[in-house]
Tab-separated table of all heavy atoms in Angstrom:
chain	number	residue	atom	x	y	z
B	142	ALA	N	18.672	-2.480	10.774
B	142	ALA	CA	18.002	-1.234	11.199
B	142	ALA	C	18.858	0.003	11.013
B	142	ALA	O	18.381	0.997	10.445
B	142	ALA	CB	17.546	-1.385	12.668
B	143	PRO	N	20.172	0.022	11.416
B	143	PRO	CA	20.942	1.275	11.267
B	143	PRO	C	21.099	1.683	9.799
B	143	PRO	O	21.030	2.866	9.469
B	143	PRO	CB	22.287	0.969	11.893
B	143	PRO	CG	22.230	-0.387	12.405
B	143	PRO	CD	20.918	-1.018	12.141
B	144	GLU	N	21.255	0.667	8.928
B	144	GLU	CA	21.440	0.969	7.504
B	144	GLU	C	20.179	1.554	6.902
B	144	GLU	O	20.244	2.532	6.155
B	144	GLU	CB	21.889	-0.277	6.730
B	144	GLU	CG	23.330	-0.682	6.940
B	144	GLU	CD	23.520	-1.465	8.230
B	144	GLU	OE1	22.508	-1.873	8.842
B	144	GLU	OE2	24.672	-1.593	8.679
B	145	TYR	N	19.042	0.951	7.236
B	145	TYR	CA	17.764	1.485	6.702
B	145	TYR	C	17.507	2.918	7.180
B	145	TYR	O	17.028	3.768	6.430
B	145	TYR	CB	16.580	0.577	7.050
B	145	TYR	CG	16.486	-0.637	6.141
B	145	TYR	CD1	16.598	-1.896	6.643
B	145	TYR	CD2	16.295	-0.438	4.773
B	145	TYR	CE1	16.519	-3.017	5.786
B	145	TYR	CE2	16.246	-1.536	3.937
B	145	TYR	CZ	16.347	-2.808	4.440
B	145	TYR	OH	16.302	-3.887	3.621
B	146	CYS	N	17.877	3.140	8.450
B	146	CYS	CA	17.718	4.491	8.972
B	146	CYS	C	18.586	5.477	8.211
B	146	CYS	O	18.124	6.536	7.781
B	146	CYS	CB	18.085	4.518	10.462
B	146	CYS	SG	18.120	6.169	11.146
B	147	ALA	N	19.859	5.110	7.948
B	147	ALA	CA	20.757	5.974	7.213
B	147	ALA	C	20.265	6.191	5.792
B	147	ALA	O	20.340	7.288	5.246
B	147	ALA	CB	22.150	5.377	7.209
B	148	LEU	N	19.718	5.117	5.162
B	148	LEU	CA	19.233	5.243	3.798
B	148	LEU	C	18.042	6.224	3.754
B	148	LEU	O	17.949	7.076	2.870
B	148	LEU	CB	18.784	3.871	3.271
B	148	LEU	CG	18.301	3.819	1.842
B	148	LEU	CD1	19.482	4.031	0.892
B	148	LEU	CD2	17.637	2.493	1.508
B	149	ALA	N	17.158	6.119	4.767
B	149	ALA	CA	16.009	7.011	4.808
B	149	ALA	C	16.464	8.458	4.970
B	149	ALA	O	15.927	9.370	4.342
B	149	ALA	CB	15.076	6.625	5.957
B	150	LEU	N	17.489	8.656	5.823
B	150	LEU	CA	18.017	10.028	5.998
B	150	LEU	C	18.611	10.534	4.714
B	150	LEU	O	18.408	11.712	4.347
B	150	LEU	CB	19.056	10.058	7.130
B	150	LEU	CG	18.493	9.863	8.534
B	150	LEU	CD1	19.617	9.862	9.556
B	150	LEU	CD2	17.478	10.969	8.868
B	151	CYS	N	19.318	9.678	3.973
B	151	CYS	CA	19.833	10.056	2.650
B	151	CYS	C	18.714	10.567	1.776
B	151	CYS	O	18.824	11.568	1.100
B	151	CYS	CB	20.451	8.823	1.959
B	151	CYS	SG	22.205	8.736	2.084
B	152	GLY	N	17.609	9.807	1.761
B	152	GLY	CA	16.476	10.216	0.943
B	152	GLY	C	15.857	11.500	1.418
B	152	GLY	O	15.443	12.316	0.612
B	153	LEU	N	15.847	11.696	2.735
B	153	LEU	CA	15.187	12.915	3.249
B	153	LEU	C	15.981	14.186	2.900
B	153	LEU	O	15.425	15.246	2.818
B	153	LEU	CB	15.011	12.806	4.774
B	153	LEU	CG	13.853	11.920	5.196
B	153	LEU	CD1	13.875	11.674	6.707
B	153	LEU	CD2	12.510	12.533	4.801
B	154	THR	N	17.297	14.039	2.695
B	154	THR	CA	18.080	15.233	2.372
B	154	THR	C	17.679	15.780	0.998
B	154	THR	O	17.954	16.907	0.667
B	154	THR	CB	19.561	14.949	2.319
B	154	THR	OG1	19.829	13.911	1.378
B	154	THR	CG2	20.097	14.569	3.655
B	155	MET	N	16.986	14.937	0.173
B	155	MET	CA	16.589	15.473	-1.147
B	155	MET	C	15.339	16.298	-1.076
B	155	MET	O	14.895	16.804	-2.076
B	155	MET	CB	16.374	14.363	-2.163
B	155	MET	CG	16.270	13.068	-1.569
B	155	MET	SD	15.892	11.737	-2.576
B	155	MET	CE	14.333	12.241	-3.235
B	156	ILE	N	14.764	16.401	0.090
B	156	ILE	CA	13.534	17.203	0.186
B	156	ILE	C	13.807	18.626	-0.308
B	156	ILE	O	13.023	19.194	-1.100
B	156	ILE	CB	13.045	17.232	1.645
B	156	ILE	CG1	12.237	15.960	1.875
B	156	ILE	CG2	12.169	18.458	1.905
B	156	ILE	CD1	11.797	15.771	3.300
B	157	VAL	N	14.973	19.157	0.063
B	157	VAL	CA	15.301	20.504	-0.430
B	157	VAL	C	15.433	20.466	-1.941
B	157	VAL	O	14.990	21.375	-2.629
B	157	VAL	CB	16.620	20.988	0.223
B	157	VAL	CG1	16.903	22.407	-0.204
B	157	VAL	CG2	16.538	20.882	1.725
B	158	ALA	N	15.953	19.331	-2.439
B	158	ALA	CA	16.173	19.233	-3.890
B	158	ALA	C	14.852	19.224	-4.658
B	158	ALA	O	14.730	19.841	-5.720
B	158	ALA	CB	16.957	17.982	-4.225
B	159	ILE	N	13.809	18.553	-4.128
B	159	ILE	CA	12.581	18.459	-4.919
B	159	ILE	C	11.611	19.589	-4.601
B	159	ILE	O	10.520	19.634	-5.107
B	159	ILE	CB	11.864	17.107	-4.746
B	159	ILE	CG1	11.464	16.860	-3.277
B	159	ILE	CG2	12.654	15.974	-5.274
B	159	ILE	CD1	10.507	15.716	-3.142
B	160	SER	N	12.002	20.544	-3.729
B	160	SER	CA	11.044	21.599	-3.425
B	160	SER	C	11.309	22.833	-4.297
B	160	SER	O	11.103	23.944	-3.843
B	160	SER	CB	11.077	21.954	-1.948
B	160	SER	OG	12.384	22.219	-1.549
B	161	ALA	N	11.781	22.569	-5.500
B	161	ALA	CA	11.845	23.599	-6.553
B	161	ALA	C	12.498	24.871	-6.059
B	161	ALA	O	13.585	24.880	-5.477
B	161	ALA	CB	10.464	23.853	-7.084
B	162	ASP	N	11.813	25.996	-6.253
B	162	ASP	CA	12.461	27.305	-6.090
B	162	ASP	C	12.274	27.902	-4.716
B	162	ASP	O	12.727	28.973	-4.448
B	162	ASP	CB	11.899	28.285	-7.148
B	162	ASP	CG	10.386	28.288	-7.072
B	162	ASP	OD1	9.816	27.368	-6.474
B	162	ASP	OD2	9.775	29.230	-7.622
B	163	ASN	N	11.576	27.185	-3.814
B	163	ASN	CA	11.285	27.795	-2.536
B	163	ASN	C	11.608	26.822	-1.373
B	163	ASN	O	10.719	26.116	-0.884
B	163	ASN	CB	9.809	28.189	-2.478
B	163	ASN	CG	9.532	29.155	-1.353
B	163	ASN	OD1	10.239	29.166	-0.353
B	163	ASN	ND2	8.494	29.944	-1.505
B	164	PRO	N	12.881	26.764	-0.966
B	164	PRO	CA	13.278	25.773	0.036
B	164	PRO	C	12.541	25.920	1.352
B	164	PRO	O	12.259	24.921	1.999
B	164	PRO	CB	14.784	26.062	0.261
B	164	PRO	CG	15.185	26.990	-0.813
B	164	PRO	CD	13.971	27.647	-1.380
B	165	LEU	N	12.178	27.142	1.771
B	165	LEU	CA	11.490	27.319	3.041
B	165	LEU	C	10.107	26.627	2.993
B	165	LEU	O	9.772	25.834	3.904
B	165	LEU	CB	11.315	28.819	3.367
B	165	LEU	CG	10.591	29.101	4.674
B	165	LEU	CD1	11.386	28.571	5.866
B	165	LEU	CD2	10.319	30.589	4.837
B	166	ASN	N	9.347	26.903	1.950
B	166	ASN	CA	8.052	26.257	1.818
B	166	ASN	C	8.199	24.763	1.702
B	166	ASN	O	7.399	23.984	2.257
B	166	ASN	CB	7.298	26.816	0.607
B	166	ASN	CG	6.778	28.206	0.838
B	166	ASN	OD1	7.076	28.821	1.860
B	166	ASN	ND2	6.016	28.727	-0.107
B	167	GLY	N	9.234	24.306	0.970
B	167	GLY	CA	9.478	22.869	0.833
B	167	GLY	C	9.759	22.236	2.180
B	167	GLY	O	9.213	21.182	2.508
B	168	ALA	N	10.570	22.935	2.983
B	168	ALA	CA	10.939	22.385	4.293
B	168	ALA	C	9.711	22.328	5.194
B	168	ALA	O	9.517	21.344	5.931
B	168	ALA	CB	12.032	23.214	4.915
B	169	ILE	N	8.871	23.373	5.137
B	169	ILE	CA	7.649	23.374	5.976
B	169	ILE	C	6.756	22.231	5.567
B	169	ILE	O	6.237	21.476	6.413
B	169	ILE	CB	6.910	24.735	5.852
B	169	ILE	CG1	7.726	25.803	6.597
B	169	ILE	CG2	5.513	24.644	6.428
B	169	ILE	CD1	7.138	27.188	6.534
B	170	ALA	N	6.577	22.015	4.252
B	170	ALA	CA	5.732	20.939	3.778
B	170	ALA	C	6.299	19.584	4.244
B	170	ALA	O	5.590	18.723	4.717
B	170	ALA	CB	5.631	20.979	2.256
B	171	ALA	N	7.643	19.441	4.130
B	171	ALA	CA	8.255	18.175	4.463
B	171	ALA	C	8.140	17.879	5.952
B	171	ALA	O	7.781	16.764	6.340
B	171	ALA	CB	9.741	18.197	4.044
B	172	VAL	N	8.460	18.840	6.812
B	172	VAL	CA	8.386	18.586	8.251
B	172	VAL	C	6.923	18.330	8.648
B	172	VAL	O	6.653	17.462	9.493
B	172	VAL	CB	9.008	19.761	9.070
B	172	VAL	CG1	8.915	19.470	10.538
B	172	VAL	CG2	10.440	19.960	8.657
B	173	GLY	N	5.986	19.064	8.016
B	173	GLY	CA	4.555	18.769	8.266
B	173	GLY	C	4.257	17.312	7.932
B	173	GLY	O	3.581	16.616	8.697
B	174	GLY	N	4.798	16.842	6.795
B	174	GLY	CA	4.562	15.450	6.411
B	174	GLY	C	5.195	14.475	7.412
B	174	GLY	O	4.602	13.472	7.751
B	175	LEU	N	6.388	14.846	7.912
B	175	LEU	CA	7.056	13.977	8.894
B	175	LEU	C	6.223	13.889	10.163
B	175	LEU	O	6.122	12.813	10.781
B	175	LEU	CB	8.434	14.494	9.191
B	175	LEU	CG	9.498	14.315	8.084
B	175	LEU	CD1	10.780	15.040	8.437
B	175	LEU	CD2	9.767	12.840	7.829
B	176	ILE	N	5.644	15.025	10.573
B	176	ILE	CA	4.821	15.004	11.780
B	176	ILE	C	3.577	14.134	11.554
B	176	ILE	O	3.196	13.326	12.386
B	176	ILE	CB	4.438	16.422	12.208
B	176	ILE	CG1	5.689	17.155	12.711
B	176	ILE	CG2	3.368	16.434	13.265
B	176	ILE	CD1	5.486	18.597	13.082
B	177	LEU	N	2.966	14.301	10.371
B	177	LEU	CA	1.818	13.508	10.005
B	177	LEU	C	2.144	12.023	10.078
B	177	LEU	O	1.308	11.181	10.438
B	177	LEU	CB	1.375	13.898	8.605
B	177	LEU	CG	-0.105	13.789	8.261
B	177	LEU	CD1	-0.918	14.609	9.221
B	177	LEU	CD2	-0.301	14.253	6.841
B	178	ALA	N	3.353	11.698	9.683
B	178	ALA	CA	3.768	10.304	9.663
B	178	ALA	C	3.907	9.682	11.038
B	178	ALA	O	4.012	8.471	11.187
B	178	ALA	CB	5.089	10.155	8.885
B	179	THR	N	3.943	10.518	12.093
B	179	THR	CA	4.057	9.937	13.431
B	179	THR	C	2.698	9.555	14.000
B	179	THR	O	2.630	8.946	15.052
B	179	THR	CB	4.735	10.925	14.448
B	179	THR	OG1	3.896	12.059	14.584
B	179	THR	CG2	6.093	11.353	13.968
B	180	VAL	N	1.597	9.919	13.303
B	180	VAL	CA	0.271	9.573	13.786
B	180	VAL	C	0.120	8.042	13.777
B	180	VAL	O	0.586	7.356	12.845
B	180	VAL	CB	-0.807	10.206	12.891
B	180	VAL	CG1	-2.193	9.687	13.252
B	180	VAL	CG2	-0.761	11.722	13.002
B	181	GLY	N	-0.515	7.512	14.775
B	181	GLY	CA	-0.805	6.077	14.830
B	181	GLY	C	-0.102	5.381	15.990
B	181	GLY	O	0.595	6.032	16.782
B	182	ILE	N	-0.299	4.078	16.064
B	182	ILE	CA	0.373	3.295	17.103
B	182	ILE	C	1.874	3.343	16.850
B	182	ILE	O	2.344	3.002	15.779
B	182	ILE	CB	-0.091	1.830	17.067
B	182	ILE	CG1	-1.598	1.733	17.283
B	182	ILE	CG2	0.658	1.006	18.092
B	182	ILE	CD1	-2.020	1.866	18.691
B	183	ASP	N	2.624	3.745	17.854
B	183	ASP	CA	4.072	3.764	17.721
B	183	ASP	C	4.586	2.363	17.467
B	183	ASP	O	4.332	1.452	18.285
B	183	ASP	CB	4.671	4.360	19.000
B	183	ASP	CG	6.179	4.193	19.054
B	183	ASP	OD1	6.782	4.131	17.968
B	183	ASP	OD2	6.726	4.143	20.148
B	184	PRO	N	5.301	2.117	16.352
B	184	PRO	CA	5.684	0.742	16.011
B	184	PRO	C	6.727	0.151	16.962
B	184	PRO	O	6.975	-1.059	16.868
B	184	PRO	CB	6.246	0.893	14.607
B	184	PRO	CG	6.642	2.301	14.485
B	184	PRO	CD	5.710	3.089	15.392
B	185	ILE	N	7.348	0.917	17.821
B	185	ILE	CA	8.338	0.353	18.705
B	185	ILE	C	7.783	0.145	20.110
B	185	ILE	O	7.956	-0.901	20.709
B	185	ILE	CB	9.614	1.241	18.770
B	185	ILE	CG1	10.183	1.439	17.359
B	185	ILE	CG2	10.659	0.665	19.698
B	185	ILE	CD1	10.667	0.174	16.680
B	186	SER	N	7.101	1.155	20.668
B	186	SER	CA	6.603	1.011	22.044
B	186	SER	C	5.153	0.595	22.077
B	186	SER	O	4.663	0.165	23.126
B	186	SER	CB	6.774	2.342	22.796
B	186	SER	OG	5.861	3.295	22.307
B	187	GLY	N	4.419	0.733	20.975
B	187	GLY	CA	3.007	0.379	20.989
B	187	GLY	C	2.113	1.471	21.555
B	187	GLY	O	0.922	1.278	21.697
B	188	TYR	N	2.696	2.676	21.828
B	188	TYR	CA	1.885	3.743	22.395
B	188	TYR	C	1.149	4.496	21.298
B	188	TYR	O	1.727	4.796	20.243
B	188	TYR	CB	2.781	4.720	23.156
B	188	TYR	CG	2.010	5.768	23.887
B	188	TYR	CD1	1.442	5.521	25.133
B	188	TYR	CD2	1.785	7.015	23.287
B	188	TYR	CE1	0.702	6.459	25.790
B	188	TYR	CE2	1.042	7.996	23.946
B	188	TYR	CZ	0.493	7.698	25.211
B	188	TYR	OH	-0.246	8.642	25.829
B	189	PRO	N	-0.200	4.752	21.457
B	189	PRO	CA	-0.928	5.455	20.393
B	189	PRO	C	-0.642	6.977	20.375
B	189	PRO	O	-0.761	7.624	21.411
B	189	PRO	CB	-2.390	5.214	20.801
B	189	PRO	CG	-2.359	4.979	22.281
B	189	PRO	CD	-1.038	4.379	22.607
B	190	ARG	N	-0.214	7.454	19.210
B	190	ARG	CA	0.136	8.892	19.086
B	190	ARG	C	-0.840	9.618	18.221
B	190	ARG	O	-1.070	9.234	17.091
B	190	ARG	CB	1.547	9.009	18.484
B	190	ARG	CG	2.633	8.333	19.339
B	190	ARG	CD	3.994	8.699	18.889
B	190	ARG	NE	4.357	8.117	17.605
B	190	ARG	CZ	5.597	8.037	17.174
B	190	ARG	NH1	6.600	8.527	17.891
B	190	ARG	NH2	5.866	7.519	16.010
B	191	PHE	N	-1.413	10.691	18.717
B	191	PHE	CA	-2.290	11.569	17.976
B	191	PHE	C	-3.419	10.875	17.269
B	191	PHE	O	-3.757	11.216	16.103
B	191	PHE	CB	-1.490	12.384	16.958
B	191	PHE	CG	-0.297	13.100	17.501
B	191	PHE	CD1	0.976	12.800	17.050
B	191	PHE	CD2	-0.449	14.087	18.489
B	191	PHE	CE1	2.081	13.460	17.587
B	191	PHE	CE2	0.641	14.745	18.985
B	191	PHE	CZ	1.913	14.447	18.539
Side-chain angles (χ1 to χ4, degrees):
Chain B
E144 285 80 14
Y145 280 119
C146 173
L148 184 70
L150 289 178
C151 261
L153 283 171
T154 58
M155 15 174 301
I156 278 175
V157 185
I159 60 167
S160 53
D162 53 344
N163 195 335
L165 179 63
N166 286 7
I169 288 179
V172 179
L175 288 173
I176 290 177
L177 210 56
T179 64
V180 172
I182 300 282
D183 170 27
I185 303 297
S186 72
Y188 187 82
R190 299 191 291 196
F191 308 119

